[in-house]
Amino acid sequence: QMFIPSMIDLTTMATAASDDTAPVLLLFDLDGTLYDQICGYVDSVHSNIFKFMAEKTGGKFDSIGSIEEAEIVWRPIFQKYNLTKRGLLGEGYEFDTVEYDKYIRQGADRFIKPDPELRVFLESLPCAKVIFTNAPEVSANEILDLLGVADLFEAVLGTDFLQNEVCKPEREAFDRVLNHLKIAPADYHRVWFFEDSYKNLVAGKELGMKTVFVESSLTMKEEGKAAGDLSQFDAVIEGKVAMELKEQIPELWGKHPPRLE
């Protein structure tokens, strides 16, 4: 599926929860969050982006003569727009976005394998789960299928849903997704956000969400900055989400500290 089906009603779930701090939604990034980037797929995507830019002809692409030049052109575009496809379009590069997505995201099955431990972790969480990614939904669904967890998510919301107009870490991207999920701003503190991008997670925290940072040296290198202060997040885990998070944030499993009456 590309968009969220109507069967999920988070408003009802939120109303039904007796504790107004109880989680109503678990919002997961995909790449580098559900699987560890050391598998090589994210590196492959980046390599394909530079190849696409170097090999594409016509218009502004003609000024890019090599993969090295493509990377030099790419970095400020990515830093400005947070999404390469959107940045290239915004800077006047002309290309077929469907062709681009297929080219750069190809070969996922060479890197992504079924992950039974991830499935056990996700199945153990009683709350509704949704994917919020800066990737196209077709690719995201393929990766979820390869991991063996596609059936555990209520929806996958990516660049098609956001119409290539906005993306993480922009506030409007979060608002569009959460509004679509019928989560009111007053309940943003009941949303848990899992993400390997520091700037994306800070954006979620600023909106009031609970935050789980998935540490990755590759993401830090891409974003061109150090990790900053990780103590601001509610939990930190290295590589990918996993059951060990239960020790840091047991409340996700419905284990809340006793409330003073």
Side-chain angles (χ1 to χ4, degrees), residues 215-226:
E215 267 194 287
S216 164
S217 59
L218 291 171
T219 302
M220 291 303 173
K221 180 182 176 184
E222 176 188 275
E223 295 190 351
K225 66 169 81 172

Side-chain angles (χ1 to χ4, degrees), residues 90-144:
E91 294 297 315
Y93 292 82
E94 296 180 2
F95 59 99
D96 183 314
T97 57
V98 175
E99 174 197 352
Y100 169 87
D101 285 336
K102 286 182 178 178
Y103 185 90
I104 72 157
R105 308 277 303 182
Q106 64 182 302
D109 58 344
R110 291 188 289 121
F111 302 96
I112 310 292
K113 305 300 179 187
D115 188 343
E117 290 182 3
L118 173 65
R119 184 171 182 89
V120 168
F121 165 72
L122 293 171
E123 282 184 321
S124 74
L125 293 163
C127 204
K129 292 169 279 289
V130 169
I131 294 289
F132 176 23
T133 175
N134 281 349
E137 282 85 341
V138 169
S139 172
N141 280 309
E142 178 191 12
I143 290 171
L144 293 173

